[in-house]
Amino acid sequence: MRAFYHDNVIADQTALHDSGRAVSEEDLKASGVLYWNIPVEDDGKWEDEIDAVARDRQYKNRDVKESSKATLGESYEAMAKMVYKEHMHEDEEIRFVLSGSGFFDVREHPTDSWVRIHVSKGDLLVVPAGIYHRFSLDSSDYMKVMRLFKDEPKWLAHYRGAETDENPHRADYLKNVQRVTALAA
């Protein structure tokens, strides 16, 4: 995993867009974004580590999804646009990368700057409920992820707007980030 501020150039969403300004894992944590690296090896030990994280964080369900032009076919372009449009969820978004690579962009609070997180095989990322974010494959055009869920598998996006800004999950997220920031000061 490597995190950095997005260069804000509006162009190919699969390009790196690295501004040259790094973001630390601690800074991500202050925004509620959690990260683990669990090497995916043939010995299966990674599965035990994923199971341990799932037990600790009460993730009850999981599935595996592949994203690429080859696997999504005609729905690829629409899907790529949909997940790249700025949105939030009322649940955590938990992704463990089994192969391939891509980007999660999260909005930093209170600056509203985009932080780009480049993830690849072995990276486990937890994007908190209520944070504005988006996703894109990188130029490799392939990612296989295990999605983990606290309850039944679902993916319901609330696209950014006045109504979503008032969503209780968004309000809770902002309170938590402000509390963490105040404690760190």
Side-chain angles (χ1 to χ4, degrees):
M1 184 276 302
R2 190 167 73 84
F4 45 88
Y5 287 98
H6 194 287
D7 64 11
N8 291 321
V9 173
I10 299 171
D12 179 6
Q13 69 192 44
T14 66
L16 190 58
H17 293 290
D18 187 347
S19 68
R21 297 176 20 230
V23 174
S24 72
E25 192 174 328
E26 284 303 311
D27 290 336
L28 289 176
K29 194 172 186 180
S31 292
V33 177
L34 304 177
Y35 167 77
W36 291 262
N37 182 268
I38 302 172
V40 179
E41 304 295 338
D42 291 335
D43 62 12
K45 289 182 183 178
W46 66 269
E47 294 177 58
D48 294 337
E49 290 187 55
I50 290 293
D51 289 343
V53 171
R55 274 191 308 277
D56 290 347
R57 297 193 53 82
Q58 301 174 357
Y59 301 146
K60 297 176 187 140
N61 290 297
R62 61 184 77 171
D63 65 14
V64 174
K65 295 286 184 185
E66 287 184 87
S67 296
S68 70
K69 286 180 184 174
T71 59
L72 295 173
E74 292 180 16
S75 66
Y76 175 80
E77 293 298 328
M79 183 67 73
K81 285 180 184 175
M82 180 182 69
V83 296
Y84 196 65
K85 185 175 179 183
E86 186 172 2
H87 63 279
M88 58 147 263
H89 304 289
E90 294 182 347
D91 302 296
E92 292 180 340
E93 185 166 331
I94 308 104
R95 302 293 184 263
F96 178 58
V97 183
L98 296 168
S99 59
S101 52
F103 301 112
F104 281 90
D105 297 338
V106 297
R107 284 284 188 190
E108 180 184 61
H109 181 75
T111 68
D112 216 30
S113 299
W114 280 117
V115 172
R116 179 155 267 208
I117 306 165
H118 193 205
V119 293
S120 58
K121 184 177 178 179
D123 290 335
L124 172 61
L125 196 67
V126 177
V127 176
I131 191 173
Y132 285 121
H133 66 282
R134 62 190 182 192
F135 171 78
S136 176
L137 292 174
D138 63 14
S139 60
S140 71
D141 186 43
Y142 178 79
M143 183 184 272
K144 181 178 181 180
V145 297
M146 177 183 290
R147 304 185 311 169
L148 294 104
F149 304 92
K150 287 199 178 217
D151 294 307
E152 292 300 312
K154 64 180 177 180
W155 190 93
L156 179 60
H158 298 272
Y159 295 101
R160 189 169 188 172
E163 186 176 316
T164 305
D165 285 342
E166 300 301 321
N167 182 296
H169 293 88
R170 175 71 180 161
D172 287 346
Y173 168 74
L174 293 174
K175 283 182 208 169
N176 288 334
V177 169
Q178 290 164 350
R179 183 181 48 77
V180 169
T181 303
L183 290 173

